[in-house]
Amino acid sequence: MWTYYPDLLATHVPRYTSYPTAADFGELPANAYREALESVHGDVSLYLHIPFCEQICFYCGCNTGRANRQHRLASYLDALHTEIATVAALLPNDARVRRISFGGGSPNAIAPADMLGILDALSRHFHLEAPILSTELDPRTMSQDWADAIGQAGFDMASLGVQTFAAHCQKAIGRVQDEDLILRSVDWLREAGVGSINFDLMYGLPGQSEDDLLDSLQRTRALGADRIALFGYAHVPHIVPRQRAIPASQLPDQEARFAMADLGYRYLCTHGYTPVGFDHFAKPGADPMASAALAGTLRRNFQGFTDDQAANLIGLGASAISSFPGLLAQNEKNSGRYRMRASQGLLSAERGIRRSAHDRYRGSVIEALLCHGRARIGARLMAQVRCEIAPFLERGLASFDEEWLTILPEGLPYARTIAALFDTYRAVSMRQFSSAV
C-alpha cells in the first residue's frame, strides 16, 4: 500500500504527453511547420481529430462540440480532406505512414461512411505501409453500422469511453450509459475483429467511493478489456467552463483520490494486468502495450503511453498537435477558423514551440522516468535538482546511484511530480494542470 505524503503532492503538474507541454506553446515562427513537414523521413504516425460528440459530458476537457448541425459537420470534413491533401503534398517520398489514430470528441459522431472516406483519402495522398488503425469510441452512440465499418477497414484497436459504471457518478458527470451499451459495443468490436479494446476509467469523480471504483474495475475485467487507462479526474472549471456543472464540494479530497489510485493499481496488478507507466494497465500477450512495457520500448506522446516508435507524429484536424524532433505544432483550436484556413489549402498550425537540444534532453529524461521508472541523469543536471529531489530520496520513493535516478515501487504515484523537477518551464502557473494523483 502506498504512503500518502500531502506535501509532495501539493503542486499540480502536467501529464507530460509532450515536453515542453502545450501550455508552453506560443506563436509559431513563419514556415516552421512547413519546414518540419518537408524534413520528415521514415516512419510517420497520423492523428485525426474529430471535434464532435452527440452528447457533451460535463467533465470533458477535450476540444469538442455538439454534432447537431449537419452543415457545420460536413464543412469540417471537407476542410479535413483538404488539409490531408495539403499536408501530404509536402512530405518527402520516403515518408511512410505506419499508424493512424482517430480521436476527439467522438469519432463515431460522424457517419461510418465518412470515416471510411477519410481512410480512403489518406490512402490516396499518403504512402501507407499496412498501418495499425485505432480509434476512440463513445458507447452511447456506437452502432452496428459503425462496427461493420470498423471491420471493413480492419481496425486493430479501439478505446471505449466508460469512465465509471456507478449510476450516480454517471449522472453527476453527464455521461449516463448502462452496462448493456458497453457490453454491446464490446461484442460488436470483437465480431469486427478488433484485437485490443481499451476502457477509459476515472477516479476522483463527484460522489465516487472506493466501492464504486472497485465495482467499475470488476465489471471492466469481466467484460474482458485488454487495456485500461485509469485517470484521475482533473477539475479545472477556470479552463473548462462546462465543468462548472460539477460542484467542487462533491469531489473526493486529495487523500481519497490517492487511496483510489492505490486501490486501482493493486486490484489490476493482482488480476492479470501489467502496469504500463503510472496510469495504464494491459494484459500480457493480449495487448502490445504490455509487451512494450516489459521490453523497455514504451513511449509517450499526445495519445498517452504508446508502443509507437515513430519520431514524427502529424496531427490533422482542429487543435490536433504534431510532434517532430525539433518542433511541436498545434493546429488552430477554433473549429470555424480551422475550416477557413484548411479549406483554402493553408497549413493550419498556428501555435507551438521549437524544441532546443536542451528541451530534447530534459524531455528524454521526463519520458524515461514516466515510461520506465528510471533515467540516466548527468552530474550537472542532477546538481540543479538535488535539493528538490532530496525529500523523495529520503522517504524511499526514489533512489540515485551512479547517474541513474530510479522511481521505486513506493514512489510510483509521485512519478509525475518527480518528472516535473526536470521541467524548466514549470515556473509558469500550474493552475491549469491536474492533481499529480
Side-chain angles (χ1 to χ4, degrees), residues 17-19 25 33 36-49 83 87 91 95-103 122 126 132 134 136 299-317 319-331 349 351 355 367:
T17 52
S18 74
Y19 182 78
F25 289 1
Y33 181 49
L37 290 171
E38 293 174 340
S39 64
V40 166
H41 296 284
D43 290 353
V44 177
S45 297
L46 301 179
Y47 169 76
L48 293 101
H49 189 74
E83 185 190 17
V87 169
L91 295 182
R96 296 289 185 269
V97 174
R98 298 187 185 274
R99 288 180 184 250
I100 300 173
S101 302
F102 287 80
L122 295 175
F126 289 91
I132 295 171
S134 64
E136 299 174 0
R299 297 288 311 281
R300 191 155 175 80
N301 65 16
F302 292 106
Q303 279 76 62
F305 290 110
T306 180
D307 60 329
D308 185 3
Q309 302 300 307
N312 300 287
L313 169 67
I314 298 175
L316 300 164
S319 79
I321 301 177
S322 298
S323 175
F324 309 96
L327 182 76
L328 300 174
Q330 184 172 30
N331 279 359
R351 288 179 58 79
R355 301 180 74 222
E367 183 178 28

Coordinates of all heavy atoms in Angstrom, one line a residue, residues 17-19 25 33 36-49 83 87 91 95-103 122 126 132 134 136 299-317 319-331 349 351 355 367:
T17 N 2.5 14.6 -21.8 CA 2.3 13.9 -23.1 C 3.3 14.5 -24.2 O 3.4 14.0 -25.3 CB 0.9 13.9 -23.6 OG1 0.4 15.3 -23.6 CG2 0.0 13.1 -22.7
S18 N 3.9 15.6 -23.8 CA 5.0 16.2 -24.6 C 5.9 17.0 -23.6 O 5.5 17.3 -22.5 CB 4.4 17.1 -25.7 OG 3.9 18.3 -25.1
Y19 N 7.0 17.4 -24.1 CA 7.9 18.3 -23.4 C 8.6 19.2 -24.4 O 9.3 18.6 -25.3 CB 8.9 17.7 -22.5 CG 9.7 18.7 -21.7 CD1 9.1 19.3 -20.6 CD2 10.9 19.1 -22.2 CE1 9.8 20.3 -20.0 CE2 11.6 20.1 -21.5 CZ 11.1 20.7 -20.4 OH 11.7 21.7 -19.7
F25 N 3.2 26.6 -25.4 CA 3.2 27.0 -26.8 C 3.0 28.5 -26.9 O 2.3 29.1 -26.2 CB 2.1 26.2 -27.5 CG 2.3 24.8 -27.7 CD1 3.4 24.1 -27.2 CD2 1.4 24.0 -28.4 CE1 3.6 22.8 -27.4 CE2 1.6 22.6 -28.6 CZ 2.7 22.0 -28.1
Y33 N 6.3 25.1 -39.4 CA 5.6 23.8 -39.6 C 5.8 23.2 -41.0 O 6.1 22.0 -41.1 CB 4.1 24.1 -39.4 CG 3.2 22.8 -39.5 CD1 3.6 21.7 -38.8 CD2 2.1 22.9 -40.2 CE1 2.8 20.5 -38.9 CE2 1.2 21.8 -40.4 CZ 1.6 20.6 -39.7 OH 0.8 19.5 -39.8
A36 N 9.2 21.6 -41.1 CA 9.2 20.4 -40.4 C 8.6 19.3 -41.2 O 9.1 18.1 -41.2 CB 8.5 20.5 -39.0
L37 N 7.5 19.5 -41.9 CA 6.9 18.5 -42.7 C 7.8 18.1 -43.9 O 8.0 17.0 -44.2 CB 5.6 19.1 -43.3 CG 4.4 19.3 -42.4 CD1 3.3 20.0 -43.0 CD2 3.9 17.9 -41.8
E38 N 8.5 19.1 -44.5 CA 9.4 18.8 -45.6 C 10.6 18.1 -45.2 O 11.3 17.5 -46.1 CB 9.7 20.2 -46.3 CG 8.6 20.9 -46.9 CD 8.9 22.2 -47.5 OE1 9.9 22.8 -47.0 OE2 8.2 22.7 -48.4
S39 N 10.9 18.0 -43.9 CA 12.1 17.3 -43.4 C 11.8 15.9 -42.9 O 12.7 15.3 -42.4 CB 12.8 18.2 -42.4 OG 12.0 18.3 -41.2
V40 N 10.6 15.5 -43.0 CA 10.2 14.2 -42.4 C 10.7 13.1 -43.3 O 10.6 13.1 -44.5 CB 8.7 14.1 -42.3 CG1 8.2 12.6 -42.1 CG2 8.1 15.0 -41.2
H41 N 11.3 12.1 -42.6 CA 11.8 10.9 -43.3 C 11.5 9.6 -42.5 O 11.4 9.7 -41.3 CB 13.3 10.9 -43.6 CG 13.7 12.1 -44.4 ND1 13.6 12.0 -45.8 CD2 14.3 13.3 -44.1 CE1 14.0 13.2 -46.3 NE2 14.5 13.9 -45.3
G42 N 11.2 8.5 -43.1 CA 11.0 7.3 -42.4 C 9.5 7.2 -41.9 O 8.6 7.7 -42.5
D43 N 9.4 6.5 -40.8 CA 8.1 6.2 -40.3 C 7.3 7.5 -39.8 O 7.9 8.3 -39.1 CB 8.2 5.2 -39.1 CG 8.6 3.8 -39.6 OD1 8.6 3.6 -40.8 OD2 8.8 2.9 -38.8
V44 N 6.0 7.5 -40.1 CA 5.2 8.6 -39.7 C 3.9 8.0 -39.1 O 3.4 7.0 -39.6 CB 4.8 9.5 -40.9 CG1 3.9 10.6 -40.4 CG2 6.1 10.1 -41.5
S45 N 3.4 8.7 -38.0 CA 2.1 8.3 -37.4 C 1.2 9.5 -37.7 O 1.6 10.7 -37.6 CB 2.2 8.0 -36.0 OG 3.0 6.9 -35.7
L46 N -0.1 9.2 -37.9 CA -1.1 10.2 -38.1 C -2.1 10.2 -37.0 O -2.6 9.1 -36.6 CB -1.8 10.0 -39.5 CG -1.0 10.0 -40.8 CD1 -1.8 9.8 -42.0 CD2 -0.2 11.4 -40.9
Y47 N -2.5 11.4 -36.6 CA -3.6 11.5 -35.6 C -4.7 12.4 -36.3 O -4.4 13.5 -36.7 CB -3.2 12.1 -34.3 CG -4.4 12.5 -33.4 CD1 -5.1 11.5 -32.7 CD2 -4.8 13.8 -33.3 CE1 -6.2 11.8 -31.9 CE2 -5.8 14.2 -32.5 CZ -6.5 13.2 -31.8 OH -7.6 13.5 -31.1
L48 N -5.9 12.0 -36.3 CA -7.0 12.8 -36.9 C -8.0 13.1 -35.8 O -8.6 12.2 -35.1 CB -7.7 12.0 -38.0 CG -6.8 11.8 -39.2 CD1 -6.3 10.4 -39.2 CD2 -7.6 12.1 -40.5
H49 N -8.3 14.4 -35.6 CA -9.1 14.9 -34.5 C -10.5 15.2 -35.1 O -10.7 16.0 -36.0 CB -8.5 16.2 -33.9 CG -9.3 16.6 -32.7 ND1 -9.2 15.9 -31.5 CD2 -10.2 17.6 -32.4 CE1 -9.9 16.5 -30.6 NE2 -10.5 17.5 -31.1
E83 N -7.0 19.5 -45.9 CA -5.8 19.5 -45.1 C -5.0 18.3 -45.4 O -3.8 18.3 -45.5 CB -6.1 19.7 -43.6 CG -4.8 19.8 -42.8 CD -5.0 19.7 -41.3 OE1 -6.0 19.2 -40.9 OE2 -4.1 20.1 -40.6
V87 N -1.1 18.7 -46.5 CA 0.0 18.2 -45.7 C 0.7 17.1 -46.5 O 2.0 17.1 -46.5 CB -0.5 17.7 -44.4 CG1 0.6 17.0 -43.6 CG2 -1.0 18.9 -43.5
L91 N 5.3 16.2 -47.8 CA 6.2 15.2 -47.3 C 7.1 14.6 -48.3 O 6.7 14.4 -49.5 CB 5.3 14.0 -46.7 CG 4.5 14.4 -45.4 CD1 3.7 13.1 -45.0 CD2 5.3 15.0 -44.3
A95 N 8.6 9.1 -46.7 CA 7.8 9.2 -45.5 C 6.8 8.1 -45.6 O 6.0 8.0 -46.6 CB 7.2 10.5 -45.3
R96 N 6.7 7.2 -44.7 CA 5.8 6.1 -44.7 C 4.9 6.1 -43.4 O 5.4 6.1 -42.3 CB 6.5 4.8 -44.8 CG 7.4 4.6 -46.0 CD 6.4 4.4 -47.2 NE 7.2 4.1 -48.5 CZ 7.6 5.0 -49.3 NH1 7.3 6.3 -49.1 NH2 8.2 4.7 -50.4
V97 N 3.6 6.0 -43.6 CA 2.6 6.0 -42.5 C 2.4 4.6 -42.1 O 1.9 3.7 -42.8 CB 1.3 6.7 -42.9 CG1 0.3 6.6 -41.8 CG2 1.5 8.1 -43.3
R98 N 2.7 4.4 -40.8 CA 2.5 3.0 -40.2 C 1.5 3.0 -39.1 O 1.2 1.9 -38.6 CB 3.9 2.5 -39.7 CG 4.9 2.4 -40.8 CD 6.2 1.7 -40.3 NE 7.2 1.6 -41.3 CZ 7.3 0.7 -42.2 NH1 6.4 -0.3 -42.3 NH2 8.3 0.7 -43.1
R99 N 1.0 4.1 -38.7 CA -0.1 4.2 -37.7 C -1.1 5.3 -38.0 O -0.6 6.4 -38.4 CB 0.5 4.4 -36.3 CG 1.2 3.2 -35.7 CD 1.7 3.5 -34.3 NE 2.5 2.4 -33.8 CZ 2.1 1.5 -32.9 NH1 1.0 1.7 -32.3 NH2 2.9 0.5 -32.5
I100 N -2.4 5.0 -37.8 CA -3.4 6.0 -38.0 C -4.3 5.9 -36.8 O -4.9 4.9 -36.5 CB -4.2 5.8 -39.3 CG1 -3.3 5.9 -40.5 CG2 -5.3 6.9 -39.4 CD1 -4.0 5.5 -41.8
S101 N -4.5 7.1 -36.0 CA -5.4 7.1 -34.9 C -6.4 8.2 -35.0 O -6.2 9.3 -35.5 CB -4.6 7.4 -33.6 OG -3.5 6.4 -33.4
F102 N -7.7 7.8 -34.7 CA -8.8 8.7 -34.7 C -9.1 9.1 -33.2 O -9.3 8.2 -32.4 CB -10.0 8.1 -35.4 CG -9.9 8.0 -36.8 CD1 -9.2 7.0 -37.4 CD2 -10.6 9.0 -37.7 CE1 -9.2 6.9 -38.8 CE2 -10.5 8.9 -39.0 CZ -9.8 7.8 -39.6
G103 N -9.3 10.4 -32.9 CA -9.7 10.8 -31.6 C -10.6 12.0 -31.6 O -11.0 12.5 -32.7
L122 N -6.7 9.3 -47.1 CA -5.3 9.0 -46.5 C -4.6 8.1 -47.4 O -3.4 8.3 -47.7 CB -5.4 8.5 -45.1 CG -6.0 9.4 -44.0 CD1 -6.1 8.7 -42.7 CD2 -5.1 10.7 -43.9
F126 N -1.3 9.8 -48.9 CA -0.1 9.4 -48.1 C 0.4 8.0 -48.6 O -0.3 7.3 -49.2 CB -0.3 9.3 -46.6 CG -0.6 10.6 -45.9 CD1 -1.8 11.2 -45.8 CD2 0.5 11.3 -45.4 CE1 -2.1 12.4 -45.2 CE2 0.3 12.5 -44.7 CZ -1.0 13.1 -44.7
I132 N -1.2 0.4 -38.5 CA -2.1 0.0 -37.4 C -3.1 1.0 -37.2 O -2.9 2.2 -37.2 CB -1.2 -0.1 -36.1 CG1 -0.2 -1.3 -36.3 CG2 -2.1 -0.3 -34.9 CD1 0.8 -1.3 -35.2
S134 N -6.4 2.7 -35.1 CA -7.0 2.7 -33.8 C -8.0 3.9 -33.7 O -7.9 4.8 -34.5 CB -6.0 2.8 -32.6 OG -5.3 4.1 -32.7
E136 N -11.0 6.1 -30.9 CA -11.8 6.3 -29.7 C -13.2 6.1 -30.1 O -13.6 6.5 -31.2 CB -11.5 7.6 -29.1 CG -10.1 7.8 -28.7 CD -9.8 9.2 -28.2 OE1 -10.7 10.1 -28.2 OE2 -8.6 9.5 -27.8
R299 N 6.8 4.3 -25.0 CA 7.0 5.7 -25.3 C 5.8 6.5 -24.8 O 4.8 5.9 -24.3 CB 7.1 5.9 -26.9 CG 8.3 5.2 -27.5 CD 9.6 5.9 -27.2 NE 9.5 7.3 -27.4 CZ 9.6 7.9 -28.6 NH1 9.8 7.2 -29.7 NH2 9.6 9.3 -28.7
R300 N 5.9 7.8 -24.9 CA 4.8 8.6 -24.5 C 4.6 9.8 -25.5 O 5.6 10.4 -25.9 CB 5.1 9.2 -23.1 CG 3.8 9.9 -22.5 CD 4.0 9.9 -21.0 NE 2.9 10.7 -20.3 CZ 1.6 10.2 -20.1 NH1 1.3 9.0 -20.5 NH2 0.7 11.0 -19.5
N301 N 3.4 9.9 -26.0 CA 3.1 11.0 -26.9 C 1.7 11.6 -26.6 O 1.2 11.4 -25.5 CB 3.2 10.5 -28.4 CG 2.1 9.5 -28.8 OD1 1.1 9.3 -28.1 ND2 2.4 8.8 -29.9
F302 N 1.1 12.3 -27.5 CA -0.1 13.1 -27.2 C -1.3 12.1 -27.0 O -2.4 12.6 -26.6 CB -0.4 14.1 -28.3 CG 0.6 15.2 -28.3 CD1 1.5 15.3 -29.3 CD2 0.6 16.2 -27.3 CE1 2.5 16.3 -29.3 CE2 1.5 17.2 -27.3 CZ 2.5 17.3 -28.3
Q303 N -1.2 10.9 -27.4 CA -2.2 9.9 -27.1 C -2.0 9.2 -25.7 O -2.7 8.3 -25.3 CB -2.3 8.8 -28.2 CG -3.1 9.3 -29.4 CD -2.3 10.3 -30.3 OE1 -1.3 9.9 -30.8 NE2 -2.8 11.5 -30.4
G304 N -0.9 9.6 -25.0 CA -0.5 9.0 -23.7 C 0.6 7.9 -24.0 O 1.4 8.1 -24.8
F305 N 0.5 6.9 -23.2 CA 1.5 5.8 -23.3 C 1.3 5.1 -24.7 O 0.1 4.9 -25.0 CB 1.5 4.8 -22.2 CG 2.0 5.4 -20.9 CD1 1.1 5.7 -19.8 CD2 3.3 5.7 -20.7 CE1 1.6 6.2 -18.7 CE2 3.8 6.3 -19.6 CZ 3.0 6.5 -18.5
T306 N 2.3 4.7 -25.3 CA 2.2 4.0 -26.6 C 3.4 3.1 -26.9 O 4.5 3.3 -26.3 CB 2.1 5.1 -27.7 OG1 1.9 4.4 -29.0 CG2 3.3 6.0 -27.8
D307 N 3.2 2.2 -27.8 CA 4.4 1.4 -28.3 C 4.9 1.9 -29.6 O 5.7 1.3 -30.3 CB 4.0 -0.1 -28.4 CG 2.8 -0.3 -29.3 OD1 2.0 0.5 -29.5 OD2 2.8 -1.4 -29.9
D308 N 4.3 3.0 -30.0 CA 4.7 3.7 -31.3 C 6.1 4.2 -31.2 O 6.4 5.0 -30.4 CB 3.7 4.8 -31.6 CG 3.9 5.4 -33.0 OD1 4.8 5.0 -33.7 OD2 3.2 6.4 -33.3
Q309 N 7.0 3.8 -32.1 CA 8.4 4.2 -32.1 C 8.7 5.3 -33.2 O 9.8 5.8 -33.3 CB 9.3 3.0 -32.4 CG 9.1 1.9 -31.4 CD 9.5 2.3 -30.0 OE1 10.5 2.8 -29.7 NE2 8.6 2.0 -29.1
A310 N 7.7 5.8 -33.9 CA 7.9 6.8 -34.9 C 8.4 8.1 -34.3 O 7.8 8.5 -33.3 CB 6.6 7.0 -35.8
A311 N 9.3 8.7 -35.0 CA 9.9 10.0 -34.5 C 9.0 11.2 -34.9 O 9.1 12.2 -34.3 CB 11.3 10.2 -35.1
N312 N 8.1 11.0 -35.8 CA 7.2 12.0 -36.3 C 5.7 11.7 -36.2 O 5.3 10.6 -36.7 CB 7.5 12.4 -37.8 CG 9.0 12.8 -38.0 OD1 9.4 13.9 -37.6 ND2 9.8 11.9 -38.5
L313 N 5.0 12.5 -35.6 CA 3.5 12.4 -35.4 C 2.9 13.6 -36.1 O 3.2 14.7 -35.6 CB 3.1 12.2 -34.0 CG 1.6 12.3 -33.7 CD1 0.9 11.1 -34.2 CD2 1.4 12.4 -32.2
I314 N 2.0 13.4 -37.0 CA 1.3 14.5 -37.7 C -0.1 14.6 -37.3 O -0.9 13.6 -37.5 CB 1.5 14.4 -39.2 CG1 2.9 14.5 -39.6 CG2 0.7 15.5 -39.9 CD1 3.1 14.2 -41.1
G315 N -0.5 15.7 -36.7 CA -1.9 15.9 -36.3 C -2.7 16.6 -37.4 O -2.3 17.6 -37.9
L316 N -3.9 16.1 -37.7 CA -4.8 16.6 -38.7 C -6.1 16.9 -38.0 O -6.7 16.1 -37.3 CB -5.0 15.6 -39.8 CG -3.7 15.2 -40.6 CD1 -3.9 14.0 -41.4 CD2 -3.2 16.4 -41.4
G317 N -6.7 18.1 -38.3 CA -7.9 18.5 -37.7 C -7.7 19.6 -36.7 O -6.6 19.9 -36.3
S319 N -7.2 21.7 -33.6 CA -6.5 21.6 -32.3 C -5.5 20.4 -32.3 O -4.8 20.2 -31.3 CB -7.5 21.4 -31.1 OG -8.0 20.1 -31.0
A320 N -5.4 19.6 -33.4 CA -4.5 18.5 -33.4 C -3.1 18.9 -33.3 O -2.7 20.0 -33.9 CB -4.7 17.6 -34.6
I321 N -2.2 18.2 -32.6 CA -0.8 18.6 -32.3 C 0.1 17.6 -33.1 O -0.1 16.4 -33.1 CB -0.5 18.6 -30.8 CG1 -1.4 19.5 -30.1 CG2 1.0 18.9 -30.6 CD1 -1.2 19.5 -28.6
S322 N 1.1 18.2 -33.8 CA 2.1 17.5 -34.5 C 3.4 17.5 -33.7 O 3.7 18.5 -33.0 CB 2.3 18.0 -35.9 OG 1.2 17.9 -36.7
S323 N 4.1 16.4 -33.7 CA 5.4 16.3 -33.0 C 6.5 15.9 -33.9 O 6.4 14.8 -34.5 CB 5.2 15.3 -31.8 OG 6.4 15.1 -31.1
F324 N 7.5 16.7 -33.9 CA 8.7 16.4 -34.7 C 9.9 16.5 -33.7 O 9.8 17.2 -32.7 CB 8.9 17.4 -35.8 CG 7.7 17.5 -36.7 CD1 6.8 18.6 -36.5 CD2 7.4 16.6 -37.7 CE1 5.7 18.7 -37.3 CE2 6.3 16.8 -38.6 CZ 5.4 17.8 -38.3
P325 N 11.1 15.9 -34.0 CA 12.2 16.0 -33.1 C 12.5 17.5 -32.7 O 12.8 17.7 -31.5 CB 13.3 15.4 -33.9 CG 12.7 14.4 -34.7 CD 11.4 15.0 -35.1
G326 N 12.4 18.4 -33.6 CA 12.8 19.8 -33.3 C 11.6 20.8 -33.2 O 11.8 22.0 -33.0
L327 N 10.4 20.3 -33.2 CA 9.2 21.2 -33.2 C 8.0 20.5 -32.8 O 7.7 19.3 -33.1 CB 9.0 21.7 -34.7 CG 7.8 22.7 -34.8 CD1 8.3 24.1 -34.3 CD2 7.4 22.8 -36.3
L328 N 7.2 21.2 -32.0 CA 5.8 20.8 -31.6 C 4.9 21.9 -32.2 O 5.2 23.1 -32.0 CB 5.6 20.8 -30.1 CG 6.5 19.8 -29.4 CD1 6.3 19.9 -27.8 CD2 6.2 18.4 -29.8
A329 N 3.8 21.5 -32.9 CA 3.0 22.4 -33.6 C 1.5 22.1 -33.5 O 1.2 20.9 -33.7 CB 3.3 22.5 -35.1
Q330 N 0.7 23.0 -33.1 CA -0.7 22.7 -32.9 C -1.6 23.5 -33.9 O -1.4 24.7 -34.1 CB -1.2 23.1 -31.5 CG -2.6 22.8 -31.1 CD -3.0 23.0 -29.7 OE1 -2.4 23.9 -29.0 NE2 -3.9 22.2 -29.2
N331 N -2.6 22.8 -34.5 CA -3.5 23.4 -35.4 C -4.4 24.4 -34.7 O -4.6 24.3 -33.4 CB -4.4 22.3 -36.1 CG -3.7 21.7 -37.2 OD1 -2.5 22.0 -37.6 ND2 -4.3 20.7 -37.8
A349 N -1.5 24.9 -38.6 CA -0.7 25.0 -37.4 C -0.4 26.5 -37.1 O 0.1 27.2 -38.0 CB 0.6 24.2 -37.5
R351 N 0.2 27.6 -33.5 CA 0.9 27.7 -32.2 C 1.9 26.5 -32.0 O 1.7 25.5 -32.7 CB -0.1 27.7 -31.0 CG -0.9 29.0 -30.9 CD -1.9 28.9 -29.8 NE -1.2 28.7 -28.5 CZ -0.6 29.6 -27.7 NH1 -0.5 30.8 -28.2 NH2 0.0 29.3 -26.6
R355 N 11.9 22.9 -30.3 CA 12.5 22.1 -29.2 C 14.0 22.2 -29.4 O 14.6 21.7 -30.3 CB 12.0 20.6 -29.3 CG 10.5 20.5 -29.1 CD 10.1 19.0 -29.2 NE 10.5 18.3 -28.0 CZ 11.0 17.1 -27.9 NH1 11.3 16.5 -29.0 NH2 11.2 16.5 -26.8
E367 N 10.4 11.6 -20.1 CA 9.8 10.4 -20.7 C 10.3 9.1 -20.1 O 9.5 8.2 -19.9 CB 10.0 10.4 -22.3 CG 9.3 9.3 -23.0 CD 9.5 9.3 -24.5 OE1 10.5 9.9 -24.9 OE2 8.6 8.8 -25.2

